[in-house]
Amino acid sequence: MDKPKLFTVGPVWVHPDVLKEMSHQMFSHRGKDYMDLHIEVIKKLKKFMQTGDDIYLSTSSSTGIMEASVRNCVEKNVLNLICGAFGTRFSEVCTSNGRIAKKVEVPWGKANTAEKLDEALAKSDAEAVTVVHNETSTGVMNPLKEIASVVKKYDVLFLVDVVSSMGGTEIDVDGLGIDVCFFGTQKCMGVPPGLTVVSVSEKALEKAKEIKDRGYYFDFWVMKKYSEKNNTPVTPPIPQMFALSKALDLMFEEGLDNRFKRHKKVAERVREGIKDLGFGVFPDEKYASPTLTCIDTKGVDPKSILQPMKEKGFTLASGYGKIKDQTFRIGNMGWITLEDVNELLENLEDVMKRIQ
Ligand SMILES: *Cc1c(COP(=O)(O)O)cnc(C)c1O
């Protein structure tokens, strides 16, 4: 298996068996071939996401469904948990759709807490809470279980971005009481971009019914109508669906538990390795993500590291948002192993010796 040295945070390296699935000849999405594929993919996704809720497939990137969750589930007031760039984006999606957004924000690098949410919800008339589970800009994974148990105390919908965590850590959608849970295929699922998966609870669908002007492309009820016929309202990305189906097979084969443990272990190794090289871990380590690490360069210009690494054949991710000049990121989403990361760290050590 020739493995390019991609330590990106999406799109990521795609397993050759998954890639091969994308070369199937096309067929109409209104015929039986498509329906068979649709049924198969949804069946695997329900098992994988641990949910009995409806699952819809969207021909869009994740931000499309972020917007859909707001348009379908919030009439007026919403509360946004924010700890980085993607939480901020979720809030911007709310306000740009005319919703009134109350932000509950912590400094970048910190995690959102259940306590702060509880305080905010006690005095709020929000219809929904939004949270980004794994904040890809800072490498923080929010304590979803604790946050979920607070959400359960209130009559609000729970809209959760799991874009960079689904596939890298366990997310029990029904157990956590998530109403809208979405992720694109290009991160920890290890599938090329273009397809977003969303689970939608009955409660969310009931709420959507009351909301006027939900639009068409992202209307959950339009999606539901077609999903009942094992279909999608608009042309689905059929190659990505073949790929996702295969990726899910490979994940079940590895064992989900093994897969999640591997991610955790590899991320731990990255943190240990970069600290040995004199760097810092940007986020509060208690909440460090198992799918990527955001590295504080301690004053070194990140470009002076990423460029020579690229020349050695290793693609890392630059920093994101307002911390881009002081950080870079190492993703370990999908199929990255301990050996891959050890090789990366050796080369990083080499580069650091040369630039110091
Ligand atoms: C990548 C990412 C997004 C945006 O995904 P697109 O597919 O580019 O729309 C949203 N949220 C998080 C946490 C992400 O990592």
Side-chain angles (χ1 to χ4, degrees), residues 9-11 60-66 85-87 89-90 131-137 161-165 182-187 193-196 292 320 329 333:
V9 294
S60 70
S61 86
S62 312
T63 308
I65 291 296
M66 187 185 270
F86 290 101
R89 179 183 295 184
F90 216 153
V131 63
V132 171
H133 179 208
N134 193 64
E135 180 48 78
T136 320
S137 61
D161 168 330
V162 296
V163 178
S164 65
S165 50
F182 61 91
F183 59 94
T185 48
Q186 77 274 24
K187 301 201 179 175
L195 169 63
T196 293
L292 82 144
Y320 193 94
R329 295 170 299 166
M333 300 175 181

Side-chain angles (χ1 to χ4, degrees), residues 50 57 61 65 86 135-136 144 158 177 184 224 235 271 315:
Q50 309 181 47
L57 303 176
S61 86
I65 291 296
F86 290 101
E135 180 48 78
T136 320
L144 199 55
F158 193 23
K224 180 174 180 58
T235 314
R271 295 200 294 276
T315 310

Side-chain angles (χ1 to χ4, degrees), residues 172-324:
D172 173 2
V173 172
D174 286 357
L176 293 164
I178 302 176
D179 292 294
V180 177
C181 187
F182 61 91
F183 59 94
T185 48
Q186 77 274 24
K187 301 201 179 175
C188 301
M189 304 299 286
V191 170
L195 169 63
T196 293
V197 174
V198 59
S199 68
V200 181
S201 72
E202 264 180 55
K203 199 171 147 200
L205 284 163
E206 284 314 306
K207 174 78 183 184
K209 237 186 216 168
E210 298 166 12
I211 296 175
K212 280 189 304 181
D213 300 330
R214 300 187 299 272
Y216 183 87
Y217 196 74
F218 289 126
D219 179 0
F220 287 159
W221 277 93
V222 174
M223 295 184 194
K224 180 174 180 58
K225 187 175 133 204
Y226 281 87
S227 112
E228 277 164 8
K229 297 181 283 188
N230 302 309
N231 218 308
T232 51
V234 297
T235 314
I238 293 171
Q240 275 80 351
M241 288 176 65
F242 273 117
L244 177 59
S245 184
K246 184 67 185 180
L248 286 163
D249 287 345
L250 294 178
M251 289 185 213
F252 292 131
E253 238 168 72
E254 181 181 12
L256 297 185
D257 240 27
N258 294 336
R259 182 178 178 86
F260 302 150
K261 276 189 200 133
R262 173 169 58 79
H263 278 80
K264 189 162 176 274
K265 215 189 236 170
V266 171
E268 274 164 10
R269 176 72 193 108
V270 172
R271 295 200 294 276
E272 182 191 281
I274 55 120
K275 281 190 281 187
D276 286 347
L277 292 176
F279 295 122
V281 174
F282 180 80
D284 177 352
E285 277 207 60
K286 189 171 168 223
Y287 297 103
S289 167
T291 71
L292 82 144
T293 303
C294 182
I295 294 130
D296 176 353
T297 62
K298 302 276 186 197
V300 182
D301 177 5
K303 282 194 247 32
S304 74
I305 303 166
L306 297 199
Q307 188 51 37
M309 283 303 284
K310 179 96 191 169
E311 280 156 22
K312 280 168 155 290
F314 293 83
T315 310
L316 313 184
S318 53
Y320 193 94
K322 67 182 183 189
I323 54 172
K324 71 172 187 304

Side-chain angles (χ1 to χ4, degrees), residues 122-133:
K123 50 182 185 206
S124 127
D125 44 10
E127 300 145 62
V129 171
T130 73
V131 63
V132 171
H133 179 208

